[in-house]
Amino acid sequence: MTAQPSDKVHVIRSNELRPGQPTAGMTRDEAFATRSMWAGLVRTEPGMQSGWHHHGAHETAIYVLSGRMQMESGPGGSEVVEAGAGDFIYVPPEAIHRESNPSEEQAVAVILRSGTGQVVVNVEGPEP
């Protein structure tokens, strides 16, 4: 994680976003990361599905800007939620999940994570 100065208010411009931690099937762009918070954007192309992963001790709030996001989690990925533009998704710490985009347009979402430790942990999949 790259910490930004925390002693003043500042702006991260869209052209200043950095590549975030990789997970197959999605693109993450990091706006900033501190000891206890991460913020950025995620993009998933139409019909794509990410790899299985979790976010360690971080809680995650996702705000869908455009497209649709489908999220699989739980035993064997059996719990499925879907969200569209204007919807929020909450992902608890350690929750193994993967995102997909069932729409015909790119899905774009704002991500905010709060917690400590590793922000992205790619895994083989959830327990059955």
Side-chain angles (χ1 to χ4, degrees):
M1 289 195 295
T2 304
Q4 297 291 329
S6 60
D7 60 344
K8 64 180 182 172
V9 174
H10 59 280
V11 174
I12 292 90
R13 306 280 178 207
S14 60
N15 64 349
E16 297 173 327
L17 298 177
R18 298 179 298 272
Q21 300 85 350
T23 295
M26 63 191 336
T27 302
R28 288 188 188 98
D29 292 317
E30 179 180 289
F32 64 85
T34 68
R35 287 183 298 267
S36 60
M37 188 169 41
W38 186 94
L41 292 176
V42 66
R43 292 178 178 80
T44 307
E45 296 301 321
M48 290 299 293
Q49 184 174 67
S50 77
W52 290 100
H53 61 283
H54 65 84
H55 301 290
H58 288 81
E59 291 182 281
T60 301
I62 301 169
Y63 178 73
V64 181
L65 292 171
S66 63
R68 298 206 62 76
M69 292 184 76
Q70 182 173 298
M71 182 90 59
E72 298 171 76
S73 63
S78 62
E79 297 171 17
V80 180
V81 298
E82 191 169 314
D87 294 339
F88 284 87
I89 301 170
Y90 170 76
V91 181
E94 306 290 340
I96 295 173
H97 62 283
R98 68 179 172 188
E99 291 99 328
S100 61
N101 178 357
S103 74
E104 295 183 9
E105 68 175 297
Q106 182 185 61
V108 180
V110 174
I111 311 293
L112 180 63
R113 294 194 177 95
S114 178
T116 58
Q118 195 168 352
V119 176
V120 177
V121 179
N122 294 310
V123 298
E124 292 296 316
E127 295 293 321

